[in-house]
Amino acid sequence: MSKDLSELRKQIDEINMQMLELINERGRIAQEIGKVKISQGVNRYDPVRERAMLNKITEDYEGPYEVSTIQHIFKEIFKAALELQEDDHRKALLVSRKKQPQDTIVNVKGEEVGNGRPHFVFGPCAVESYEQVAEVAKAVKAKGLKLLRGGAFKPRTSPYDFQGLGIEGLKILKQVADEFDLATISEIVTPNDIEKAVEYIDVIQIGARNMQNFELLKAAGQVNKPVLLKRGLAATIDEFINAAEYIMAQGNGQIILCERGIRTYEKATRNTLDISAVPILKQETHLPVFVDVTHSTGRRDLLLPTAKAALAIGADGVMAEVHPDPAVALSDAAQQMDLNQFDAFYAEIEKILQLQRA
Ligand code: PEP
Ligand code: MN
């Protein structure tokens, strides 16, 4: 008995090798066909031809397999041959490391984001007044920092909450930034506003709620302005990377990714900071990666430890919200730092930066 089994297995092994050779041969011919189709400007995928091949294979078929099984096996072979016809470059995303091994450096008014040294974005959740922004800008400037944030278009959960000052807010942000020689970053929520907004801001932020607003992504891809793209509330890393691809596919490669926490069942924090997303994004893409410690935690007491974690794990930058008087802030009152807390926070960060430099 056992001799029979080994003999049968030998036959199976031989058939496997014959099938492999036939599949390879078929693949080589399919590649030839692909070349002819390119020269004729014809689509590689031809469903009518596939249907005809399947019909021919199965019209007199008598088993032992089900017809559907045979169709399934051949459909897989057709698919593999089609993939073989696509060159590797087309398969690799523009934002991928495979496509570009070296890091992208995004230049924001001379600030080289992604150059190996950490960068910081501070500022209020929302632009509320000239004085409010100026107070924060002064504190940012005093630390030798360059990037100032402030929302003018606020995507709020409730339509009755403060929606931001709109273009007026961008004008305030620009006025303050010019006075303190800072660069600005602010969220834009609709494609129509992009053209006007680029006159006022240095980085277009696309927020978590708009990460898959494909028309907005495309519009941001059509301007010559850096974009900070935040991860969606429930977006996988793959979806996040593809959102960045939407921007880059339109021609704008100046993209900074920003992990800002994702929604999980955990209630101790506003969102769950997916810290391992940082090295994954760094491995998979060539883009700089920031961590927003404010929106990921929603807790003032966690800003410093999570910022330290971000720097330790290799983030290119950290974003956090600062307000002169968070208690009266029109949005995110519970989580913004006041100016004293900001000083203490940054003093601790500077200790790490000194260690990194040493
Ligand atoms: C913001 O940074 O102002 C903001 C609204 O963040 P997110 O889109 O990550 O919620
Ligand atoms: Mn906020």
Side-chain angles (χ1 to χ4, degrees):
M1 275 307 268
S2 72
K3 191 150 185 276
D4 285 351
L5 181 61
S6 71
E7 179 54 36
L8 290 168
R9 282 182 166 166
K10 214 172 126 209
Q11 286 177 26
I12 289 279
D13 282 341
E14 276 168 21
I15 291 172
N16 282 346
M17 297 318 287
Q18 286 169 14
M19 283 170 63
L20 180 63
E21 190 38 56
L22 284 173
I23 289 170
N24 285 343
E25 183 58 21
R26 192 188 183 285
R28 284 189 283 269
I29 296 170
Q31 280 177 315
E32 289 294 311
I33 290 176
K35 280 183 203 145
V36 175
K37 284 185 172 177
I38 286 179
S39 70
Q40 294 179 349
V42 179
N43 249 346
R44 291 194 188 96
Y45 174 57
D46 183 348
V48 177
R49 166 79 181 140
E50 277 201 10
R51 173 40 62 205
M53 287 194 290
L54 284 182
N55 287 350
K56 193 160 188 184
I57 290 162
T58 55
E59 71 192 350
D60 297 320
Y61 184 72
E62 284 176 349
Y65 295 101
E66 297 283 344
V67 166
S68 62
T69 305
I70 293 296
Q71 285 190 340
H72 175 74
I73 291 169
F74 274 89
K75 176 65 192 167
E76 288 304 309
I77 293 172
F78 298 168
K79 240 172 32 192
L82 197 62
E83 278 166 22
L84 208 55
Q85 293 174 35
E86 281 173 13
D87 61 55
D88 245 17
H89 288 291
R90 266 189 35 161
K91 276 190 268 177
L93 295 181
L94 296 168
V95 298
S96 70
R97 277 262 179 231
K98 212 165 143 196
K99 194 78 176 179
Q100 181 192 307
Q102 73 274 24
D103 289 334
T104 282
I105 295 176
V106 178
N107 195 312
V108 184
K109 271 196 164 175
E111 193 83 351
E112 295 192 325
V113 173
N115 66 356
R117 284 187 293 279
H119 296 264
F120 297 88
V121 181
F122 295 114
C125 181
V127 172
E128 295 165 2
S129 69
Y130 170 85
E131 292 73 22
Q132 170 237 18
V133 180
E135 272 196 74
V136 181
K138 196 171 152 206
V140 167
K141 186 76 187 174
K143 293 171 179 56
L145 299 173
K146 184 95 187 181
L147 305 175
L148 180 70
R149 64 152 284 149
F153 298 93
K154 298 301 299 175
R156 305 303 300 280
T157 301
S158 164
Y160 306 116
D161 284 342
F162 175 59
Q163 302 285 308
L165 298 180
I167 293 288
E168 200 45 49
L170 295 186
K171 288 182 182 167
I172 292 174
L173 196 61
K174 178 165 170 53
Q175 188 190 345
V176 173
D178 287 348
E179 283 169 20
F180 289 89
D181 187 29
L182 299 174
T184 60
I185 163 162
S186 197
E187 177 165 359
I188 302 303
V189 294
T190 157
N192 295 340
D193 286 339
I194 288 204
E195 216 173 310
K196 195 153 186 63
V198 295
E199 295 171 28
Y200 299 105
I201 58 179
D202 300 298
V203 179
I204 298 167
Q205 177 169 318
I206 295 186
R209 286 153 198 82
N210 275 316
M211 191 208 79
Q212 281 190 321
N213 181 338
F214 298 117
E215 295 310 314
L216 183 61
L217 297 172
K218 286 186 210 164
Q222 285 161 7
V223 290
N224 181 20
K225 189 67 89 172
V227 178
L228 182 133
L229 177 66
K230 297 186 110 185
R231 182 175 180 182
L233 283 85
T236 64
I237 290 174
D238 188 53
E239 288 164 342
F240 190 17
I241 289 173
N242 272 289
E245 182 76 7
Y246 261 90
I247 300 170
M248 198 154 180
Q250 296 291 321
N252 187 358
Q254 309 165 78
I255 306 164
I256 302 165
L257 300 174
C258 184
E259 161 62 35
R260 49 78 73 206
I262 47 174
R263 183 164 288 181
T264 69
Y265 52 79
E266 182 51 65
K267 290 205 171 76
T269 48
R270 177 168 164 179
N271 291 288
T272 297
L273 174 57
D274 181 9
I275 197 74
S276 60
V278 177
I280 294 172
L281 291 166
K282 297 285 297 172
Q283 280 167 32
E284 297 288 321
T285 80
H286 49 77
L287 302 173
V289 181
F290 277 21
V291 172
D292 171 347
V293 292
T294 299
H295 296 97
S296 53
T297 65
R299 284 176 52 163
R300 231 173 253 132
D301 59 331
L302 297 180
L303 300 178
L304 184 59
T306 48
K308 285 181 178 173
L311 297 178
I313 209 162
D316 296 285
V318 169
M319 175 188 276
E321 288 180 349
V322 179
H323 190 289
D325 189 357
V328 301
L330 292 171
S331 56
D332 285 350
Q335 65 205 39
Q336 305 197 57
M337 290 182 268
D338 68 23
L339 297 172
N340 289 330
Q341 287 158 345
F342 180 33
D343 286 347
F345 171 90
Y346 198 70
E348 290 300 315
I349 295 289
E350 274 201 306
K351 286 185 196 166
I352 297 168
L353 299 181
Q354 271 160 18
L355 285 175
Q356 280 184 350
R357 277 193 288 263

